[in-house]
Amino acid sequence: MMKNRTKLLLATGIASLVLLSPALADQMLRLAITGDPRTIDVQMTTDEYTIPLNVYDRLVEAETIAPGQSKILPSLAESWDISEDGKTYTLHLRKGVLFHNGEELTADDVVYTYDRMLNPATKALNTDILDFVEGAKARLDGTAPTVTGLQAVDKYTVKIVLTQPYAAFIALLASPQASIYNRKFTEPLGDKYGLSPDTVNGTGPFVLTDYTLNDSQRMEANEKYFKGRSKLDSVLIRVVPDAETMRMLFESDEIDVFDTDSAITQIPYFTKSEKWKDQIRKGPVAGLNYYHINQKIKPFDDVRVRKAFQMGINRQEILDKMFYGEGQLENGILPSGVACYTPATPIEYNPKKAKELLVEAGYPDGVDIAFSQVSSWSSKWVDLNQLVQAQLRESGFNTEIKVVDESAYYDMRKGGTINNYPQVWSADFNDPDNFFYTFFSKSGTSVRGFNNEDQEVFDGIEKARGMTNPDERCKLYEQLTERIVQTDAAWVPLFSLNHLFIVQPRVKNFVVPWNGWTSMSYYKMEVEE
């Protein structure tokens, strides 16, 4: 067995043999990712959370409770109180929680963590999760030495004061970016924190023990974890950029989990395989694929053209051809699985009616439009643009695909000159504000190039952010959905996808995360021989 493993590893250029010996693999979960995380400092990354979700904890956690569903549960904070005006959060920390270096978690660590994020010297990438904290802007601007809204009341009590009520705040504290650090360990390291195992320290269920750049990372079970030791002894994460190599390693029993997000084209192979079809673990993604519409660019300043654009796209064909039918059509702002989701009015696929709308708008001979396509992005966006280009021809849209580099794309988007483009947005935290504010607030619709200047929508989104009655808040989001998608025809929601993993038979308790990320906690999983 070892000879075969050695031959395969040498053939694929992966040399970490010591990490794969059979003796170690018995209680080891073996994973593969396509790129190196570069840093384990979660305040300095926006896309690689596998290690952070396992070596750190947060004050609260958004745990998957059913396919595509999550619930906010206590974690480092065992309880919290919210003032009547919705602006003051008092969080009561769990006593006796230890960081990996043996230090006990205190309120000062929480205050330090969030202050570090807002300290301009840190140059953190995720400061927006603290936008509503009193004094956050002044700290980030460098005009204040501390954050006035962060206070350690006593050793185990943290008070966070907001500038205004924000209903999504607790959900934000469950995001990976809100992971808690130890002041005594982290502060002396400065910008060296998170670059190697000896510069990483959390309270989480695993301890980072090995990190070889562009090759592998290894985590071992935290023996003193406050929720109890994981049944896994260790987790090995290997960097495997090539999808075919990843599948070869999986089928040779070198890795335990194959994530099809890294290789969508492999879905038919596994779903039709007698050997593997029963080992597929599937869950809906709390994310939405969509087509952007820029209302500043003619002819999309006319709502009739926008409605024709919606009707001219065969969304089911895209889902079937490009994603093997693994998903469901979406018609609103929220994908299923996000709080306040309710089915929205269906968008009809009707090229004939779309063409009639173009005639009504003054384009009896059709209309020329353009898509923007970023040259460095995945080929799936190329395929999607070309498929929709062909579909829209039947409705009277003559579409040119304009390729731009990434920097030009962002400049054009911010400047309001970007052409329509396809994209996907997955939930960072489970609250509708994550979608509504991002895309259709006054700032969001501008910076992302939608330019849907609807004051009623702006006012409704701002109002919803501070509402404390969850039922009334969800009802308002339902009304906003109808106005944005049906009345304004401000974008084209396409579909949400299923996330498919194939697991070795030895893997037990594998749960597909509600948010659709590849990154997840492996604390509750097990392996058997």
Side-chain angles (χ1 to χ4, degrees):
M1 180 67 172
M2 196 60 194
K3 283 184 179 178
N4 291 336
R5 289 186 175 199
T6 304
K7 182 184 288 187
L8 178 60
L9 290 167
L10 290 175
T12 56
I14 297 170
S16 301
L17 297 178
V18 65
L19 297 179
L20 290 174
S21 64
L24 286 177
D26 289 350
Q27 289 80 41
M28 176 191 287
L29 183 69
R30 303 161 301 168
L31 309 171
I33 57 176
T34 56
D36 192 277
R38 301 295 173 184
T39 179
I40 315 303
D41 185 349
V42 77
Q43 295 183 4
M44 302 302 291
T45 182
T46 59
D47 60 0
E48 183 45 65
Y49 299 136
T50 298
I51 297 176
L53 285 171
N54 288 279
V55 301
Y56 303 117
D57 290 298
R58 289 130 296 273
L59 295 175
V60 296
E61 303 288 353
E63 293 199 9
T64 304
I65 56 172
Q69 297 180 37
S70 71
K71 184 177 182 180
I72 300 294
L73 298 174
S75 185
L76 296 179
E78 58 185 359
S79 64
W80 53 91
D81 306 307
I82 306 173
S83 62
E84 285 190 16
D85 65 3
K87 294 198 293 185
T88 301
Y89 289 71
T90 305
L91 300 110
H92 307 284
L93 301 185
R94 203 176 296 273
K95 297 177 182 178
V97 175
L98 299 179
F99 284 93
H100 299 158
N101 67 340
E103 291 287 324
E104 185 185 11
L105 168 75
T106 68
D108 179 66
D109 293 311
V110 177
V111 171
Y112 165 74
T113 297
Y114 297 152
D115 181 77
R116 178 184 187 266
M117 185 181 288
L118 293 167
N119 185 340
T122 305
K123 299 179 181 177
L125 303 177
N126 304 298
T127 59
D128 56 330
I129 70 169
L130 301 174
D131 278 354
F132 280 85
V133 176
E134 184 181 273
K137 186 177 186 302
R139 179 66 164 130
L140 195 58
D141 290 346
T143 57
T146 58
V147 184
T148 56
L150 295 175
Q151 180 186 352
V153 178
D154 58 38
K155 189 174 182 180
Y156 302 109
T157 309
V158 179
K159 182 184 289 186
I160 303 178
V161 181
L162 307 184
T163 56
Q164 64 189 71
Y166 182 43
F169 187 65
I170 286 293
L172 268 178
L173 296 183
S175 61
Q177 303 96 315
S179 299
I180 302 301
Y181 293 1
N182 174 234
R183 180 195 289 270
K184 184 176 180 180
F185 181 92
T186 308
E187 199 166 40
L189 288 167
D191 59 6
K192 300 295 189 292
Y193 181 84
L195 299 181
S196 60
D198 59 348
T199 62
V200 176
N201 183 33
T203 60
F206 296 97
V207 180
L208 183 66
T209 56
D210 292 289
Y211 185 170
T212 303
L213 190 66
N214 293 321
D215 182 81
S216 62
Q217 307 98 44
R218 183 176 169 185
M219 302 181 290
E220 295 185 2
N222 177 4
E223 301 291 341
K224 297 182 179 179
Y225 189 50
F226 72 95
K227 295 179 185 178
R229 186 194 189 278
S230 171
K231 292 185 178 179
L232 294 173
D233 291 327
S234 60
V235 179
L236 172 68
I237 307 166
R238 299 165 60 189
V239 179
V240 185
D242 179 67
E244 284 295 325
T245 301
M246 193 181 294
R247 193 184 92 178
M248 182 169 63
L249 290 170
F250 178 78
E251 294 206 273
S252 300
D253 195 20
E254 296 298 331
I255 57 177
D256 293 310
V257 179
F258 185 91
D259 179 6
T260 62
D261 259 23
S262 304
I264 292 171
T265 57
Q266 303 298 322
I267 289 177
Y269 172 81
F270 284 109
T271 55
K272 295 174 183 177
S273 168
E274 288 299 320
K275 181 178 180 180
W276 296 115
K277 65 181 182 181
D278 293 333
Q279 293 303 121
I280 295 174
R281 304 293 178 263
K282 181 194 308 188
V285 172
L288 192 144
N289 285 259
Y290 64 88
Y291 254 97
H292 149 280
I293 296 174
N294 186 353
Q295 294 182 31
K296 270 191 177 180
I297 294 181
K298 286 185 175 294
F300 293 103
D301 57 336
D302 190 320
V303 69
R304 293 167 296 187
V305 175
R306 300 197 297 272
K307 286 182 177 290
F309 187 69
Q310 286 180 333
M311 289 182 178
I313 297 177
N314 188 338
R315 300 174 299 153
Q316 189 65 52
E317 182 183 36
I318 300 169
L319 183 61
D320 292 341
K321 281 189 173 181
M322 291 189 59
F323 301 97
Y324 309 102
E326 289 292 348
Q328 64 175 359
L329 298 186
E330 299 287 1
N331 297 290
I333 309 300
L334 302 176
S336 54
V338 173
C340 290
Y341 170 83
T342 53
T345 303
I347 295 172
E348 180 185 11
Y349 170 58
N350 192 329
K352 181 182 177 183
K353 190 172 180 181
K355 186 174 283 189
E356 291 170 356
L357 282 171
L358 289 185
V359 172
E360 187 181 320
Y363 301 102
D365 301 318
V367 63
D368 295 334
I369 64 170
F371 289 161
S372 288
Q373 184 172 291
V374 180
S375 56
S376 60
W377 286 2
S378 167
S379 61
K380 74 176 180 181
W381 302 117
V382 177
D383 296 340
L384 179 55
N385 271 334
Q386 290 177 348
L387 178 55
V388 173
Q389 179 186 43
Q391 291 177 348
L392 287 172
R393 201 170 291 125
E394 188 178 350
S395 301
F397 289 96
N398 305 309
T399 309
E400 179 186 2
I401 298 174
K402 296 184 176 181
V403 179
V404 298
D405 64 36
E406 192 169 46
S407 61
Y409 161 81
Y410 283 114
D411 288 344
M412 292 166 67
R413 198 177 77 169
K414 190 174 181 179
T417 61
I418 192 75
N419 291 299
N420 296 0
Y421 60 84
Q423 251 306 337
V424 61
W425 184 261
S426 292
D428 290 318
F429 57 98
N430 194 353
D431 190 274
D433 189 63
N434 192 197
F435 287 79
F436 279 89
Y437 191 84
T438 298
F439 295 106
F440 296 109
S441 64
K442 188 173 183 61
S443 60
T445 195
S446 174
V447 77
R448 290 181 179 275
F450 284 89
N451 299 303
N452 184 54
E453 299 296 330
D454 187 333
Q455 192 61 46
E456 184 174 323
V457 170
F458 297 159
D459 293 343
I461 289 174
E462 288 296 337
K463 180 181 179 181
R465 299 190 102 189
M467 293 176 72
T468 55
N469 184 307
D471 293 335
E472 291 178 4
R473 186 169 181 248
C474 288
K475 186 66 178 175
L476 177 54
Y477 280 126
E478 190 175 344
Q479 294 165 358
L480 287 170
T481 296
E482 192 73 12
R483 184 169 181 87
I484 293 168
V485 182
Q486 295 295 327
T487 305
D488 293 345
W491 77 344
V492 187
L494 298 175
F495 38 74
S496 56
L497 296 174
N498 294 327
H499 198 165
L500 278 68
F501 297 84
I502 301 89
V503 300
Q504 298 286 355
R506 68 196 293 264
V507 177
K508 309 300 177 186
N509 299 334
F510 187 93
V511 176
V512 177
W514 69 274
N515 49 34
W517 297 333
T518 293
S519 307
M520 68 184 81
S521 170
Y522 294 99
Y523 169 60
K524 294 183 179 179
M525 296 182 199
E526 301 176 39
V527 293
E528 295 177 358
E529 288 295 334

